[in-house]
Amino acid sequence: VIRVICNEDELKAAWMLRDKCFPADESISLERYQEHYRAAPHLCFGYFDGEKLRGFLRGGSQKGEHLPPDSCGAQHDPGGETMVLHLLCVEEQSRRRGIGQGLMKAFIDYVKAKETKVKRIILMCHAELIPVYTRVGFTLV
């Protein structure tokens, strides 16, 4: 089931999964992660298998068309015309099952339906992940 992450326990599970999915030099503290979540909780989607979080996605909007140098640290700007997919994580044993694609499609559908000011959705990723994002319609620029 894909739904919005809705409590502190789920948020902590997402933060712990994030640390497993990203290199150590890209980690952030739980407190900083909670700040990002609180700025835009409606843009944090989780894939749940019962009570277990298997994957999650976090987005936020910003002004301007391009990512700032520290894009994962960017704060949500409700008036922004650019939606940024900041994070997508799927636990290792659950990869290649369509969870990431499902999360991205749910996010994109939500943004198109509810975030009427948004004109574009952008992201930044490691080179080896480009095919993951191009399969759901993102283009390399």
Side-chain angles (χ1 to χ4, degrees), residues 73-89:
Q75 290 296 319
H76 175 67
D77 181 344
E81 295 181 342
T82 300
M83 183 63 65
V84 181
L85 192 164
H86 286 291
L87 296 168
L88 174 64
C89 300

Side-chain angles (χ1 to χ4, degrees), residues 102-119:
L103 284 164
M104 285 187 284
K105 287 179 182 178
F107 177 72
I108 292 166
D109 290 347
Y110 175 85
V111 170
K112 287 180 178 178
K114 303 287 185 182
E115 300 288 328
T116 57
K117 294 178 184 177
V118 171
K119 295 181 178 178

Side-chain angles (χ1 to χ4, degrees), residues 4-140:
V4 171
I5 291 175
C6 60
N7 63 51
E8 290 293 319
D9 289 337
E10 292 174 358
L11 180 62
K12 188 172 182 181
W15 173 73
M16 291 170 41
L17 179 56
R18 181 200 185 286
D19 270 2
K20 292 178 184 175
C21 293
F22 285 88
D25 65 336
E26 295 180 24
S27 68
I28 63 171
S29 69
L30 177 58
E31 293 77 21
R32 188 161 181 212
Y33 193 72
Q34 289 168 326
E35 288 175 27
H36 295 307
Y37 170 77
R38 289 183 188 118
H42 61 291
L43 298 173
C44 297
F45 292 78
Y47 179 93
F48 293 87
D49 182 3
E51 297 292 314
K52 174 83 170 145
L53 179 70
R54 302 285 181 192
F56 79 96
L57 177 152
R58 181 177 67 81
S61 61
Q62 68 177 35
K63 292 193 171 134
E65 297 181 18
H66 304 287
L67 289 168
D70 180 18
S71 66
C72 286
Q75 290 296 319
H76 175 67
D77 181 344
E81 295 181 342
T82 300
M83 183 63 65
V84 181
L85 192 164
H86 286 291
L87 296 168
L88 174 64
C89 300
V90 176
E91 67 179 0
E92 191 168 353
Q93 64 268 30
S94 296
R95 292 179 187 160
R96 301 200 182 281
R97 296 182 187 171
I99 293 171
Q101 283 188 344
L103 284 164
M104 285 187 284
K105 287 179 182 178
F107 177 72
I108 292 166
D109 290 347
Y110 175 85
V111 170
K112 287 180 178 178
K114 303 287 185 182
E115 300 288 328
T116 57
K117 294 178 184 177
V118 171
K119 295 181 178 178
R120 68 196 66 78
I121 302 173
I122 63 173
L123 62 89
M124 179 173 58
C125 70
H126 294 272
E128 68 272 11
L129 297 174
I130 292 170
V132 172
Y133 296 103
T134 56
R135 278 194 292 269
V136 294
F138 285 94
T139 56
L140 182 63

